[in-house]
Amino acid sequence: DAGAQLAMVAGMASLVSVAGLSLTSHASARQDWRTVAIAVDMVHQFTISIWFGGLLLLGLCWRLVTRPLVRRFSAAALPLMVLGVGAGIGNAAFALPALKSLWQSDYGKVILYKAIVLVPVLALATFHRKTLAKLAAAATDTLRKLRVPLRIEAILAIAIVLGGSVLALLAPPSVAVTPELTSLDLAHYTQPRAGE
C-alpha cells in the first residue's frame, strides 16, 4: 500500500538524520575507539528512535492503532529496548572516565536520572507485553483499557529522550592529567652587583 511505503521512506529519512547526531556527538570527538564509539551511539540512537516513535504512535494516535499494529510493535519493542539500553550503557562507558563520574558530574547525574526514569518505563512495557499476550483475542475493549498506561509510558519515555538531549549539550567529565616533570631549573637569588 502507498501509505505504508511512504511511512517507510519517512522512517528511513528520520534514521539518516539521527545518524547525523551520532557523527557530531561526544563519541565522534574521541581520539581512541572513535569508530566503535560512533557505531555504539548509532545503535542507541536508531533503536531508541524506532521504539520511541512506535510508542508515541500507540500512546498519542490511539484512533489509528489496530491490533496487527500493536502486535508488530510488541514483537519489535523488546529487542529494540534491549539493544537501546545496552548501547546506552556502552555510550556511558565511553563518555565517563570513572564510575564515580556518575554521581560527581552533571553528565553522570543526567545518565542516572535517565536510568531512574527508565525503570517504570520498562515495568510498564513488561505489563503491556504480558497483558497483550494474555488478551490477544479480546479486541477493542482491552486496547482501550491500555490507553492511559500507554500514554504514561510515552510521557516517561519523553523524559528519557529529553535527558538524552541534555547529555548532548553537556561536556562529559574528563580525567585530570598531570604532566610528568622532565626537568627542573633552579634559580638562586643573590645580591646584584653594582650596575647589574
Side-chain angles (χ1 to χ4, degrees), residues 92 96-112 173:
L96 299 173
L99 183 61
K100 64 183 177 182
S101 301
L102 271 174
W103 55 89
Q104 291 182 344
S105 69
D106 289 340
Y107 194 90
K109 288 175 186 172
V110 173
I111 291 173
L112 286 176

Side-chain angles (χ1 to χ4, degrees), residues 42-165:
M42 279 188 181
V43 168
H44 182 68
Q45 298 284 350
F46 285 178
T47 55
I48 297 303
S49 295
I50 295 168
W51 166 77
F52 183 62
L55 184 60
L56 281 180
L57 175 67
L58 290 177
L60 304 178
C61 303
W62 192 254
R63 297 191 193 289
L64 304 174
V65 175
T66 61
R67 283 191 310 171
L69 181 64
V70 171
R71 272 194 229 110
R72 280 199 313 265
F73 177 74
S74 182
L78 181 61
L80 288 172
M81 280 303 294
V82 169
L83 282 171
V85 170
I89 292 169
N91 280 345
F94 279 121
L96 299 173
L99 183 61
K100 64 183 177 182
S101 301
L102 271 174
W103 55 89
Q104 291 182 344
S105 69
D106 289 340
Y107 194 90
K109 288 175 186 172
V110 173
I111 291 173
L112 286 176
Y113 147 78
K114 285 181 64 178
I116 289 167
V117 176
L118 181 63
V119 171
V121 168
L122 292 176
L124 283 167
T126 302
F127 165 73
H128 294 142
R129 188 175 182 85
K130 287 183 178 181
T131 302
L132 290 171
K134 286 180 192 173
L135 305 170
T140 312
D141 289 340
T142 301
L143 292 175
R144 279 194 192 121
K145 290 177 186 175
L146 293 177
R147 180 175 18 195
V148 172
L150 271 171
R151 287 182 176 166
I152 292 170
E153 184 181 348
I155 289 167
L156 291 173
I158 289 171
I160 294 173
V161 170
L162 288 175
S165 299

